[in-house]
Amino acid sequence: MSRKQLDMTLLVLAVAVCFALPLVITSPTYLQILILLFFYAYLTTAWNLVGGFAGVLPLGHSVFVGIGAYTSTILSNQYGVSPWIGMLAGGVIAAFVGVLIGKPTFRMRGAYFALCTIAFAEGIRVMIENIDSIGPIKINGPRGLLIPLKGDSFWNYQFMHKEPYYYIILTMLLLVVALTWFISRSRMGYYLAAGGEEPEAAQALGINVARYKLISMAMSCFLTALAGTFYAQLMLYFYPKGLLGLDLSFEIAFIALIGGRGTIAGPVIGALALRPLNEFTRIYLGSQLPGLHLVIFGTILILVMLFQPKGLTPPLARLYDKFAARITGEGGAK
Amino acid sequence: MNILEIKDLTKHFGGLTAIHDLDLHIAKGEILGLIGPNGAGKSTLFNCVAGVFPPSVGDIRFKGESIAGKKPWDLCSLGLARTFQIVKPFGSKTVLYNVMVGAFLHTGSTSKARDKAMEVLETLQLDHRKDQLASNLTIADRKRLEIAKALATDPELLLLDEVMAGLRPTEVDDMIAIIKGLRDRGVTVFVIEHIMRAVMALSDRVVVIQFGEKIAEGKPEDVTKDENVIKAYLGSEYGAA
Ligand SMILES: Nc1ncnc2c1ncn2[C@@H]1O[C@H](COP(=O)(O)OP(=O)(O)O)[C@@H](O)[C@H]1O
Ligand SMILES: [Mg+2]
């Protein structure tokens, strides 16, 4: 067996297991945990397009989740538009807002850019919390929006069981991972990496660095908003503090940094590592000390950064290389 | 035909005049050497030509067209590539990856960019390092990589900023051969260099600047006999090089 065949076999196997899982795990509680795991892996993969490949550190991506949720929910609740269509509208608005934020801020370095994105996200959250309605559009301030139950209906993006949500988010995750894989091997991926690492050198090689960063931001925000609609339809209720707060933005960044920023598998590995922990602390310690999970994440992040500054993916990749070399009998991979 | 024409170029940084009223041209196919003491304004001249910042006064024409308002990436697309005195590799990436970034200028296909990059690496005798991380290279290989990246964009005019600084004598000889090879393939070369042996061996013509002003211009053997040049520059450093 060649290395390529081994990679493919394992990949197909892993995907097959993911698709078969609901046959074994039927408890809605556990399915929900898996759904949220995939949801976070998806969000982080989308974030990674700009936060990993383009080498900037946006810390306000919850805004785009919010744009997705609010857009599709307002359109379906008040205008009868299917959330599937509202989802695309939310994506377009999020991409537009992302470019609007990115244009003046991408010139800033490191922490300054991160702070700006936090300030912007918090600003939007506070604004939403203080708006009851814009003209005919109901925003509902801090109380958030409720989606009326309509029963099992694909058109209405509502299902009485967890399985459909599971398969939707799994498909979304697979598609977004495939997209980042494809981008990282294309000119766009090379240009983003070059512009993130040495902007001046990249510009001298014909790359309009700012433009490529904006394109990656637009894509990332578009994809993030799609997950916002998913979340709204899964929960059928959301409010600004929970959806637009920094908690979500930070958790995405934590997952990316711990999993491996700028790698394909990093967001998935990060979500696999952190989500169960998050659920555990929420269930067993959440009532006494809300926010404890972020403290634990912070501690883990410090440890990972100390020992594996590029996250968990590179050491795991090396381990896999060794394993693959033994299986295929090919002398050690590099 | 002149591939590059610089007229009355002046560049101020605040109160400092880095370049003052400079005229200069390069004919197509030529190797022009630019020498001058440290701080004379050589790298600043490259930065103006490459579009990093606009001149304070004056005009720069590349292939007959004014570059006013053009950005570095526009100029690169037009066929003007440059290296940086302080090399800027994409350190976390392999040598091949670095060169492919340049090669993507003329193709959207990853496999074509890879082929092009390999071809350039072979030209620069760097192909045996292709899988090494750029940050792990020796100085000599980093300088070569810097040229390889620029060369992968298929430039008509190549600006080389002290690509031999820090090299051993045999490495300097290799570099001279490489640069001559580039010219034979039709690339016009504008080279800033401190090592006089290399300047003499390479240049068809030499321009000397001091305090941002041109103090001499001509064939290498004539320029090195110029009294102003010896006083300003060679007197102190010629022996050392
Ligand atoms: N971006 C800049 N901002 C301010 N001053 C600069 C800048 N670049 C160069 N200088 C100044 O311009 C002068 C010429 O520098 P430079 O062109 O690097 O000289 P050379 O390459 O000939 O050694 C120096 O005094 C330097 O400090
Ligand atoms: Mg210099």
Side-chain angles (χ1 to χ4, degrees), chain A:
Chain A
M1 196 194 283
S2 78
R3 171 67 190 265
K4 223 174 194 159
Q5 283 168 322
L6 177 72
D7 292 350
M8 273 318 281
T9 315
L10 287 177
L11 187 67
V12 169
L13 215 68
V15 172
V17 166
C18 284
F19 271 95
L21 225 46
L23 301 178
V24 189
I25 298 173
T26 45
S27 144
T29 317
Y30 287 124
L31 271 182
Q32 180 83 347
I33 289 176
L34 284 175
I35 289 170
L36 286 177
L37 195 159
F38 291 161
F39 170 74
Y40 274 90
Y42 173 94
L43 278 181
T44 309
T45 307
W47 178 91
N48 200 30
L49 269 177
V50 59
F53 293 151
V56 292
L57 193 67
L59 288 179
H61 255 45
S62 59
V63 161
F64 307 109
V65 182
I67 289 176
Y70 272 95
T71 305
S72 61
T73 303
I74 288 168
L75 284 176
S76 77
N77 278 5
Q78 297 175 41
Y79 300 93
V81 179
S82 163
W84 293 107
I85 296 167
M87 166 177 100
L88 298 178
V92 172
I93 295 174
F96 184 75
V97 173
V99 169
L100 224 59
I101 300 174
K103 199 142 176 112
T105 49
F106 274 147
R107 239 169 295 165
M108 290 182 241
R109 280 275 178 173
Y112 297 101
F113 174 80
L115 283 175
C116 273
T117 55
I118 292 178
F120 187 85
E122 280 295 89
I124 298 263
R125 177 180 66 80
V126 172
M127 262 164 59
I128 298 281
E129 282 184 340
N130 285 292
I131 295 174
D132 232 35
S133 57
I134 308 172
I137 302 170
K138 276 209 195 65
I139 304 285
N140 240 7
R143 294 178 304 284
L145 294 176
L146 198 72
I147 300 174
L149 266 181
K150 290 182 179 150
D152 254 324
S153 154
F154 184 80
W155 175 252
N156 285 319
Y157 205 144
Q158 281 193 23
F159 309 97
M160 293 303 100
H161 297 280
K162 293 291 177 198
E163 282 85 356
Y165 292 110
Y166 178 93
Y167 286 115
I168 289 171
I169 194 66
L170 175 60
T171 309
M172 284 170 72
L173 175 62
L174 291 176
L175 287 177
V176 79
V177 169
L179 179 74
T180 48
W181 183 85
F182 182 76
I183 287 177
S184 75
R185 272 153 185 74
S186 73
R187 170 157 68 183
M188 168 126 184
Y190 281 72
Y191 276 16
L192 285 175
E197 194 161 346
E198 278 290 347
E200 257 191 283
Q203 289 176 342
L205 294 177
I207 304 170
N208 185 341
V209 174
R211 201 174 116 235
Y212 273 89
K213 281 188 178 168
L214 283 179
I215 295 173
S216 73
M217 182 74 168
M219 289 173 69
S220 172
C221 296
F222 177 87
L223 294 166
T224 301
L226 303 190
T229 298
F230 173 83
Y231 185 84
Q233 298 303 129
L234 175 71
M235 301 298 188
L236 298 178
Y237 168 65
F238 57 88
Y239 60 102
K241 205 167 167 51
L243 192 65
L244 291 165
L246 289 180
D247 256 33
L248 178 56
S249 299
F250 283 173
E251 189 165 347
I252 293 171
F254 275 133
I255 291 174
L257 290 169
I258 289 170
R261 214 177 143 197
T263 62
I264 314 283
V268 178
I269 290 172
L272 276 171
L274 288 190
R275 279 310 297 174
L277 204 72
N278 187 347
E279 300 289 354
F280 179 83
T281 49
R282 255 188 234 270
I283 293 169
Y284 294 101
L285 308 165
S287 49
Q288 293 118 23
L289 264 177
L292 183 66
H293 69 285
L294 283 179
V295 176
I296 295 179
F297 284 11
T299 312
I300 293 178
L301 181 64
I302 291 170
L303 290 176
V304 170
M305 291 297 114
L306 275 178
F307 296 106
Q308 292 296 340
K310 289 186 173 165
L312 296 176
T313 302
L316 286 176
R318 278 195 294 276
L319 240 124
Y320 175 69
D321 277 343
K322 266 191 205 150
F323 162 81
R326 189 169 298 172
I327 296 282
T328 58
E330 284 169 16
K334 54 177 171 147

Side-chain angles (χ1 to χ4, degrees), chain B residues 11-14 16-19 34-47 52-53 85 161-162 192 194 209 211-212:
Chain B
K11 179 69 195 173
H12 304 292
F13 291 113
L16 178 103
T17 303
I19 300 175
L34 179 64
I35 63 173
N38 274 325
K42 305 180 297 294
S43 296
T44 303
L45 177 63
F46 269 22
N47 282 331
V52 173
F53 31 64
Q85 180 175 353
D161 197 344
E162 298 199 21
I192 295 176
H194 270 307
I209 63 173
F211 300 127

Side-chain angles (χ1 to χ4, degrees), chain A residues 185 187 190 193 197 204 206 208, chain B residues 76 90-92 97 100 104 107 110:
Chain A
R185 272 153 185 74
R187 170 157 68 183
Y190 281 72
E197 194 161 346
N208 185 341
Chain B
C76 184
F90 308 118
S92 74
Y97 193 108
M100 281 174 72
F104 270 119
T107 174
T110 306

Side-chain angles (χ1 to χ4, degrees), chain B residues 92-127:
Chain B
S92 74
K93 304 294 183 193
T94 64
V95 166
L96 180 61
Y97 193 108
N98 269 263
V99 182
M100 281 174 72
V101 172
F104 270 119
L105 184 68
H106 295 297
T107 174
S109 143
T110 306
S111 66
K112 277 197 188 130
R114 187 176 296 117
D115 293 345
K116 171 79 196 173
M118 280 311 296
E119 189 190 308
V120 171
L121 284 173
E122 274 159 34
T123 315
L124 289 176
Q125 297 147 34
L126 205 56
D127 42 330

